[in-house]
Amino acid sequence: MTIDIQKFRDLNPGERILMGPGPSDVPARVLQAMASPCIGHLDPYFLKIMDETQQLLRFLFQTNNALTIPVSGTGSAGMETCFVNLVEPGDDVVVCINGVFGTRMADIVNRIGGKLIRVEAEWGRAIDPEAVRKAVEGRNPKLIAVVHAETSTGARTTLEDIAGIAKKCGALFLVDAVTSLGGVELAVDKIGIDAVYSGTQKCLSCPPGLSPVSLSDAALKVLKGRKTPVVSWYLDMGMVGSYWGAERKYHHTAPVNMIYGLREALRIIAEEGLEARFSRHKLNHKALVAGIEGMGLSMQVPEAERLTTLNAIRIPEGVDDVKVRKALLNDFGIEIGGGLGNLAGRIWRVGLMGHSSRKKNVLLFLTALETILKSQGVKVKPGGVEAAAAVYPKA
Ligand SMILES: *Cc1c(COP(=O)(O)O)cnc(C)c1O
């Protein structure tokens, strides 16, 4: 077999402004860290980097959980890790479903033979704790799972009440924090979360490839007490935990340069401070909403249930969804997301995550959207961009 290697050009993806459901913009510092020399995964220097990464992750999750590590894989690997380690065939598992990612959790529970108890809410709404309370009445489920930030709809579910219900019925509490960790307040120990996972490419602004996971002592006890082995060899937290722990027992080869990148992204977060970071996400979200409503458009999710990191904007009647998104990308270099499931064609999903959550992105996006809608003959109220700009403190 021959190959015409001239046809394979130098890599040149160009630059984008990433305002979709992920990945978000990656700061140069993170890319530079990833370009550092690849050394052995058992090299003493790298062992120190692994330790520091775990310390930084505990800070970010606001937890003292010993087992707090980046799983080698994307956010979905973290999701699968939590379920395969904590659920055995026949276990009752409550999964709250209000979008794509709750649906994915339910799929995993079915695949591993858990007995699925569904608690549903309309897509675009938060999960109602009352519905969870009803679902567990007279039952002792092994685990209750909820998505904190539903990236498919822009809805944020409040965790405290559901954590209380889980505690009362003796269930472990599992949280998907993929689009909240690093963007939205999330104190794992204070809330009482037993298993939590995230992804690097959303509010951490690191390329996709790692999934931070943290398991409480109660979760580790359940893992130790299993009657059946964890069905996934690769994601078995007993073995992965020994690799990241004091023993450094070889399990798989950590993706060395990805971990350099994550460590740098976590350093950036710690330098900014969690409170300042959450406030920044709130401010840019507020400005975006002011701009959208100022233009005469509306948000999909009720105000009290809105995420700051993922903003669902209703597509006005008669507007061509795909044409607008194409023009945003081609004319302005801006990537946003479309709707999924029954929200396809009905919403735009605008991510303001991590490094992408910036004043200049908000103002550029609103200017671009107004320009494109006008050019397509859509009536837009004047003053949207000005309304957004007015939200920011005077320089
Ligand atoms: C993106 C996302 C996932 C899946 O993460 P991948 O990195 O795409 O595997 C899971 N849950 C939520 C809420 C997400 O936004």
Side-chain angles (χ1 to χ4, degrees), residues 94-392:
V94 176
V95 176
C96 302
I97 304 170
N98 60 340
V100 166
F101 295 103
T103 309
R104 188 174 295 181
M105 285 176 160
D107 188 356
I108 294 176
V109 170
N110 280 330
R111 282 164 190 253
I112 58 181
K115 274 200 268 167
L116 180 66
I117 301 160
R118 303 164 69 101
V119 173
E120 305 207 43
E122 190 189 329
W123 287 33
R125 298 300 306 269
I127 297 291
D128 178 5
E130 265 322 301
V132 181
R133 208 185 308 277
K134 278 207 190 103
V136 302
E137 244 168 27
R139 282 193 167 108
N140 291 97
K142 179 82 161 285
L143 187 146
I144 298 177
V146 68
V147 178
H148 188 201
E150 237 318 336
T151 321
S152 64
T153 69
R156 176 178 50 83
T157 290
T158 305
L159 300 174
E160 281 78 0
D161 287 349
I162 304 176
I165 296 166
K167 194 161 191 188
K168 226 170 148 189
C169 67
L172 295 174
F173 186 40
L174 188 162
V175 172
D176 176 319
V178 176
T179 292
S180 58
L181 185 71
V184 178
E185 171 66 27
L186 175 75
V188 167
D189 288 359
K190 199 167 132 210
I191 296 171
I193 299 170
D194 293 298
V196 57
Y197 60 89
S198 190
T200 41
Q201 78 274 25
K202 313 252 169 132
C203 302
L204 309 191
S205 286
C206 179
L210 290 172
S211 176
V213 167
S214 186
L215 298 181
S216 72
D217 290 344
L220 291 181
K221 211 172 140 199
V222 165
L223 172 58
K224 277 218 180 83
R226 287 180 65 107
K227 296 186 198 79
T228 57
V230 174
V231 290
S232 167
W233 181 90
Y234 192 65
L235 301 176
D236 184 325
M237 282 298 109
M239 290 190 286
V240 175
S242 303
Y243 175 51
W244 278 86
E247 305 146 67
R248 299 291 179 190
K249 194 164 171 235
Y250 169 65
H251 175 256
H252 69 284
T253 309
V256 172
N257 294 57
M258 267 310 301
I259 288 166
Y260 293 163
L262 173 59
R263 177 178 170 279
E264 195 62 21
L266 294 170
R267 275 194 344 137
I268 291 172
I269 292 171
E271 283 166 17
E272 181 175 12
L274 294 182
E275 278 314 311
R277 195 172 174 91
F278 303 147
S279 300
R280 169 166 63 83
H281 281 79
K282 275 187 202 147
L283 181 66
N284 289 317
H285 160 75
K286 213 173 137 196
L288 181 78
V289 173
I292 288 300
E293 291 177 346
M295 285 166 66
L297 307 187
S298 63
M299 303 296 291
Q300 174 70 23
V301 177
E303 191 174 349
E305 298 169 15
R306 264 177 218 157
L307 271 171
T308 55
T309 50
L310 193 287
N311 301 269
I313 300 166
R314 286 206 186 101
I315 300 175
E317 206 58 46
V319 171
D320 187 332
D321 167 25
V322 175
K323 217 166 134 190
V324 170
R325 281 190 283 135
K326 250 193 196 147
L328 279 168
L329 190 63
N330 294 339
D331 299 342
F332 295 88
I334 297 174
E335 179 189 278
I336 65 163
L340 298 171
N342 66 356
L343 291 172
R346 291 172 49 204
I347 58 167
W348 288 310
R349 291 183 301 146
V350 178
L352 291 173
M353 303 181 190
H355 195 53
S356 291
S357 176
R358 278 184 283 176
K359 178 179 175 182
K360 68 173 187 177
N361 284 0
V362 170
L363 298 183
L364 179 65
F365 167 73
L366 290 168
T367 307
L369 184 63
E370 184 174 330
T371 307
I372 292 164
L373 288 176
K374 276 184 184 159
S375 78
Q376 295 188 7
V378 182
K379 276 216 186 76
V380 177
K381 274 209 309 207
V385 183
E386 289 80 356
V391 169
Y392 292 99

Side-chain angles (χ1 to χ4, degrees), residues 49-130:
I49 296 303
M50 287 171 80
D51 283 340
E52 289 182 1
T53 304
Q54 292 176 80
Q55 286 169 34
L56 287 160
L57 279 178
R58 285 188 199 105
F59 166 78
L60 178 61
F61 275 121
Q62 302 180 56
T63 184
N64 292 313
N65 286 343
L67 203 150
T68 303
I69 58 157
V71 165
S72 304
T74 65
S76 306
M79 183 189 288
E80 201 146 83
T81 296
C82 290
F83 284 102
V84 296
N85 281 276
L86 301 178
V87 175
E88 293 190 70
D91 285 345
D92 280 347
V93 178
V94 176
V95 176
C96 302
I97 304 170
N98 60 340
V100 166
F101 295 103
T103 309
R104 188 174 295 181
M105 285 176 160
D107 188 356
I108 294 176
V109 170
N110 280 330
R111 282 164 190 253
I112 58 181
K115 274 200 268 167
L116 180 66
I117 301 160
R118 303 164 69 101
V119 173
E120 305 207 43
E122 190 189 329
W123 287 33
R125 298 300 306 269
I127 297 291
D128 178 5
E130 265 322 301

